[in-house]
Amino acid sequence: MGSVGPAPWRRAAVVAALMLAAFTFNTTENLPVGLLGLMADDLGVSLAAVGALVTGYGLTVAVVSLPLAHATRSVPRRYLLAGLLGLLAVASWVSALGGMSYGVLLAARVATALTQAVFWAVMGPVAVGLFPPERRGRVIGLLSVGGSLATVAGVPAGTWLGGHTGWRTPFALLGVLALVSLVTIGVLLPSSRPEDGHSAYGAAPDRRGFRVVLTVTALSVTGAFAAFTYVVAFLDEVSGLGEDAVSAVLFAFGGAALAGVMVAGPLLERYPRATLAVPVAAQAVALLGLWATGHVPVASVVLIMLLGASVASAFMATQSRVLQVAPGRTETALAANSAAYNLGIAAGALLGGALLPSAGVRGTFLVGGLLTVGALAVLGLPLRRAGGKGRARMGHYRADAGR
């Protein structure tokens, strides 16, 4: 079956369902941050224990992404996605209705993290495969909008709803959203073998280029989260902003992230190198600028927004670049990039915490900025252009993909 076989409305509906699923997964992952106090009081555990539900989630995704992507690579994507979204719905409802103990909630979170690890690996190739190759960038941009909306709307709305109706209600609603995605994809996504279609393999395989992308992801994300993990303390202690102002700044951060992916998404195909290099450079400017001028409230707000736009756009660009240079199956390559991203979050948080006693919260932004400069330097290394030579070797990579 050709990659553009489905009717336009079916393709649009499937992409919308994948965007909704990305929104649901991202909101589920980060929602406990906004409900820390409510969940800790209700379950009778410490704030740190509830915080571990977020940290452990990301580490689980990092560890299992590659093995699970490999284990599921032969499963038809229609059935795999339906199964993943079914598990997400059940885990969400277990969290809401059966989460009477911390152990049950922890088990539900682990199940959701295992599901998300596979989802991020297959979502992009499935969506991209429904459209002509020249529309890859726009499709990846749309999927990134779905994920970014979780920061702007999902977590704040879930926090508000949980504060008024109890922390279990937003989890129950997320299960309903997962069910909507499941039904849409189960009915409308065409059945095909995972290895069929242009999106199953990198368009211009380049092992060295792929390693560069993974390194840029790991360094830039570690740098971003070495600082951003402690952004609330920075805005309070360094910028001198009050609690209400900090909340508004964080909302502006999310809005800038959404704006960044909406602007950069349509440009991914036309300017693949620039749409990665520019946000990484902007992230370095934002972090180093906050270290140097964060004591000026106006400057700190502007730079926090720049940081939001750059972090979100950089990860979207690495995903698009992986689809281009993947040396084998794209879902395995995307799983590796997701693992690098989640390891970067964990490493950044740990590094920032280790720096706080000696360098202070301001120092974490300096170190984060320097790590991002390192990522930019790696990105600037001369790369062999994969071009026709990479495409000529496509048959070789397809033959090796099953090994």
Side-chain angles (χ1 to χ4, degrees), residues 50-396:
V50 178
L53 296 174
V54 177
T55 306
Y57 191 109
L59 289 175
T60 300
V61 172
V63 171
V64 305
S65 288
L66 271 172
L68 288 182
H70 183 80
T72 59
R73 64 180 179 170
S74 63
V75 181
R77 289 335 189 198
R78 179 183 179 186
Y79 305 130
L80 179 59
L81 282 168
L84 294 174
L85 292 167
L87 288 173
L88 172 60
V90 170
S92 299
W93 291 329
V94 167
S95 299
L97 305 176
M100 304 305 293
S101 72
Y102 181 81
V104 172
L105 184 59
L106 178 62
R109 294 284 293 179
V110 170
T112 306
L114 295 173
T115 304
Q116 180 168 324
V118 183
F119 176 79
W120 289 131
V122 302
M123 171 185 67
V126 166
V128 166
L130 295 171
F131 296 86
E134 61 270 17
R135 297 185 66 180
R136 281 189 175 199
R138 294 185 181 183
V139 175
I140 292 296
L142 286 173
L143 297 179
S144 297
V145 168
S148 297
L149 278 171
T151 303
V152 181
V155 174
T159 301
W160 178 88
L161 183 62
H164 287 78
T165 64
W167 67 266
R168 290 179 172 82
T169 305
F171 282 99
L173 181 58
L174 289 169
V176 174
L177 297 181
L179 185 61
V180 172
S181 298
L182 185 161
V183 172
T184 304
I185 289 171
V187 172
L188 298 179
L189 181 65
S191 297
S192 62
R193 296 183 302 172
E195 63 270 23
D196 289 342
H198 67 84
S199 66
Y201 299 88
D206 183 351
R207 292 187 184 277
R208 187 183 180 195
F210 177 60
R211 289 194 294 268
V212 166
V213 174
L214 292 186
T215 303
V216 169
T217 296
L219 283 174
S220 64
V221 174
T222 301
F225 282 87
F228 189 73
T229 303
Y230 307 97
V231 68
V232 173
F234 180 92
L235 292 173
D236 178 28
E237 299 174 14
V238 179
S239 302
L241 300 176
E243 183 177 343
D244 292 339
V246 168
S247 298
V249 171
L250 293 179
F251 182 79
F253 172 91
L258 178 59
V261 298
M262 291 180 69
V263 170
L267 303 176
L268 289 172
E269 285 298 320
R270 294 181 62 188
Y271 309 104
R273 294 294 297 273
T275 47
L276 179 53
V278 169
V280 173
Q283 178 180 310
V285 169
L287 291 171
L288 294 175
L290 283 163
W291 167 70
T293 66
H295 59 285
V296 180
V298 173
S300 66
V301 172
V302 172
L303 291 169
I304 286 291
M305 293 178 67
L306 178 62
L307 181 62
S310 59
V311 169
S313 300
F315 183 64
M316 176 184 67
T318 62
Q319 295 288 85
S320 179
R321 190 68 179 151
V322 164
L323 285 172
Q324 185 76 12
V325 302
R329 289 277 291 271
T330 49
E331 73 268 18
T332 303
L334 288 168
N337 197 49
S338 177
Y341 182 85
N342 283 279
L343 284 174
I345 292 175
L350 290 173
L351 176 62
L355 290 169
L356 281 177
S358 58
V361 67
R362 193 171 184 174
T364 65
F365 281 77
L366 172 60
V367 172
L370 294 176
L371 283 170
T372 308
V373 170
L376 191 62
V378 170
L379 191 59
L381 292 175
L383 296 178
R384 171 179 56 82
R385 296 186 66 86
K389 185 176 179 181
R391 283 188 287 273
R393 296 203 315 271
M394 182 67 80
H396 168 73

